[in-house]
Amino acid sequence: MKAPANQQTTIYGIADSASVISIEEEEEQNEAEKEEKEESEVKEDGYQASSPSCRQVCTFISLALALIMDNASYYMKEPFFPVVAKGHNVTEAEIGVIFGSHFLVALLFSPVVGKFLPVFGTRRTFLTGLAIGVVTDVMFIYVKLCESRHAFFFASLSTECVAAIGSAATDTAALAIVAQVFPQNVAKMIGMVETFSGIACLFGQPMGGLLYQFGGYELPFLAFGAITLICLVINFILLPSIEKTSSSPGSLRELIRIRDVYPICLFVFVVAFCDGFLQPILALKAYELDLSAASVGVLFLLQGIVYTIFASMCGWIADSNGSYLNKPMALTGVFIISISFLVMGPSPIFSLTSESMQTPVLAVGLSLMGVGLAMAYVPTYPELIGAAFDNGMVNDLKTQGVAAGLSMALFSLGSFIGPIAGSSAYQLLGFAYSTSLASILCLFFGFIISIFYIWRTFSKT
């Protein structure tokens, strides 16, 4: 017996609905299996694994070796290059321009490097920066052959500018690599990277002076150039291919439109400014206290050791507690830096007149400075990319690149302005009042950032 037409239609409709439902369920199951497979692949690749993968270990070794040599190649010139320049009748101001040009050029090129990282790739950019470092070490050897004052000055200036471009490429790419390979432990890895940067500062100056003493002007550049070349080869072998390049660069304009980025940028600038502020005037203060050159080196060494230890600790603390402690940690660091300047002076408000106590007090202030710099700087890059992601930017190399470029540009700006401000303030006010002025500036920046965070908290609620 044949069913009526409307009954057949109903039966077919039910059958069609059941088939559609089964197809949808099958698609959902396939999608869930695909996500599970991708998650397992990610864990195997080491991004979310509790123990580091071979890829991460190789990347970490590559970054450590490269950043040590990149930073040490800059600092190793400080003990002897001014003496050689004076022998060519170069003035103190011109020597300052040569060293200061490094940060000015890095300020200009870091955002450019960060913007075009997706186009060239982080690995290629990183290795290119190291190769430029090797070339400039060799170039500095031939600078001495310039006999006239102007030729020596312009040859040194141009070589330092080229070296700064290489450093901008290496440092900017390094931050992006950390964010790519260690996305769950960015703060911890930034702390460890800063530890190796601190090690570079610790051994760069004494090794440069020692090599110059035993082998003359050429030996430091030959030795550091050869070691950097070895690091370049090791990085070429160990550093894995991290990402596919893109035809379009990142958008720096989109990043700087985000309000939450501004206080983080101010943190980076304050750290670099305060560290640079102290560099040219600490030796002058030591001269006032009749300290030897070795004692001055020990004071710089003390600050570097404390910073190296606390940078790693701050990274571990930041990652262990998510991002909850990043802002309070950085703010606390700024206020500790402010206190350290008051102690180092010592500030006139302390009324410390005993010269026998000023050297220990200076050492305490430098130790506090190392703690404050680590606390204020280490959380900045994780906070910067976190603010970008929270405000709609995609979690990819484009965002990580422009964030790294912006961070390095602001650090270079502070490193360029800081020594100029420090030496000018010392010339006008003396050491005690100069450090007191720096302390007031730190407090001012800290209160501005605090007010901003309070306003953002109430505006969101």
Side-chain angles (χ1 to χ4, degrees):
M1 186 174 180
K2 192 174 181 180
N6 59 348
Q7 186 176 355
Q8 285 184 350
T9 305
T10 304
I11 294 172
Y12 293 151
I14 294 172
D16 291 340
S17 300
S19 62
V20 169
I21 293 173
S22 62
I23 291 173
E24 290 179 352
E25 290 178 350
E26 185 177 353
E27 289 178 351
E28 291 177 358
Q29 185 177 359
N30 291 336
E31 187 175 349
E33 290 177 355
K34 183 179 179 181
E35 290 178 356
E36 186 177 352
K37 182 180 179 181
E38 289 177 352
E39 185 178 351
S40 64
E41 288 176 354
V42 167
K43 288 183 178 181
E44 288 176 4
D45 197 33
Y47 284 95
Q48 295 179 353
S50 57
S51 59
S53 66
C54 179
R55 172 193 179 101
Q56 289 178 315
V57 172
C58 290
T59 303
F60 176 74
I61 294 174
S62 300
L63 290 177
L65 292 173
L67 291 175
I68 286 176
M69 293 312 303
D70 178 62
N71 288 278
S73 293
Y74 173 79
Y75 287 105
M76 66 94 172
K77 298 189 293 290
E78 292 185 353
F80 65 89
F81 189 81
V83 179
V84 176
K86 289 288 288 182
H88 285 76
N89 298 318
V90 178
T91 65
E92 288 85 352
E94 290 171 337
I95 295 172
V97 170
I98 292 171
F99 280 95
S101 65
H102 184 98
F103 298 107
L104 182 61
V105 173
L107 164 65
L108 298 175
F109 273 86
S110 293
V112 178
V113 172
K115 182 179 179 66
F116 288 96
L117 267 181
V119 178
F120 298 110
T122 50
R123 184 177 187 271
R124 187 181 302 170
T125 304
F126 188 78
L127 295 176
T128 301
L130 282 180
I132 292 174
V134 176
V135 172
T136 52
D137 279 338
V138 176
M139 289 171 63
F140 264 113
I141 295 175
Y142 293 97
V143 165
K144 190 182 179 183
L145 300 179
C146 299
E147 296 181 358
S148 69
R149 167 196 164 195
H150 295 293
F152 183 90
F153 171 71
F154 285 111
S156 302
L157 180 63
S158 58
T159 304
E160 190 63 53
C161 290
V162 175
I165 295 173
S167 294
T170 301
D171 295 340
T172 304
L175 288 179
I177 290 171
V178 167
Q180 286 180 293
V181 182
F182 306 94
Q184 306 300 322
N185 302 292
V186 176
K188 185 188 301 181
M189 295 311 301
I190 290 293
M192 298 186 74
V193 165
E194 284 301 304
T195 297
F196 285 103
S197 297
I199 292 173
C201 299
L202 293 181
F203 93 89
Q205 289 177 333
M207 283 301 297
L210 189 65
L211 291 171
Y212 175 76
Q213 183 177 351
F214 284 99
Y217 175 82
E218 293 82 5
L219 183 59
F221 294 108
L222 283 173
F224 277 78
I227 298 173
T228 306
L229 179 60
I230 294 172
C231 289
L232 175 61
V233 174
I234 294 174
N235 275 266
F236 185 81
I237 297 171
L238 291 183
L239 191 63
S241 181
I242 298 170
E243 84 297 323
K244 295 180 180 179
T245 56
S246 172
S247 58
S248 59
S251 175
L252 179 61
R253 182 180 300 177
E254 184 180 357
L255 180 63
I256 61 178
R257 285 177 178 173
I258 300 173
R259 293 178 180 178
D260 293 335
V261 164
Y262 298 144
I264 305 169
C265 293
L266 193 54
F267 277 130
V268 177
F269 173 79
V270 169
V271 168
F273 174 85
C274 292
D275 188 42
F277 187 96
L278 192 62
Q279 295 301 321
I281 64 175
L282 181 60
L284 299 175
K285 174 62 177 179
Y287 178 78
E288 292 178 5
L289 298 175
D290 294 326
L291 298 179
S292 64
S295 300
V296 178
V298 169
L299 290 175
F300 277 111
L301 187 67
L302 177 64
Q303 179 190 349
I305 290 174
V306 173
Y307 176 82
T308 299
I309 295 172
F310 273 85
S312 182
M313 292 174 58
C314 291
W316 281 85
I317 293 172
D319 275 337
S320 299
N321 295 274
S323 61
Y324 302 109
L325 292 180
N326 286 356
K327 295 181 181 69
M329 182 191 301
L331 269 174
T332 304
V334 170
F335 291 122
I336 290 176
I337 294 172
S338 177
I339 295 172
S340 71
F341 274 122
L342 292 177
V343 174
M344 273 187 286
S347 174
I349 63 175
F350 292 143
S351 301
L352 182 62
T353 57
S354 174
E355 289 195 6
S356 62
M357 288 297 296
Q358 287 193 14
T359 302
V361 167
L362 183 61
V364 172
L366 286 168
S367 301
L368 287 174
M369 172 72 77
V371 175
L373 292 175
M375 294 180 67
Y377 182 69
V378 169
T380 54
Y381 185 64
E383 280 293 296
L384 190 59
I385 57 177
F389 300 156
D390 292 341
N391 285 273
M393 294 187 71
V394 182
N395 185 358
D396 59 4
L397 179 58
K398 295 180 181 180
T399 302
Q400 295 159 358
V402 293
L406 180 61
S407 177
M408 294 310 303
L410 289 163
F411 192 89
S412 300
L413 178 63
S415 298
F416 177 70
I417 297 177
I420 298 174
S423 56
S424 301
Y426 179 86
Q427 186 175 355
L428 294 173
L429 305 173
F431 188 83
Y433 284 100
S434 297
T435 51
S436 298
L437 176 62
S439 175
I440 293 172
L441 287 174
C442 283
L443 284 175
F444 175 71
F445 289 136
F447 280 121
I448 287 179
I449 297 172
S450 301
I451 292 171
F452 177 87
Y453 282 137
I454 293 172
W455 170 71
R456 289 293 287 169
T457 301
F458 280 102
S459 64
K460 289 179 180 179
T461 56

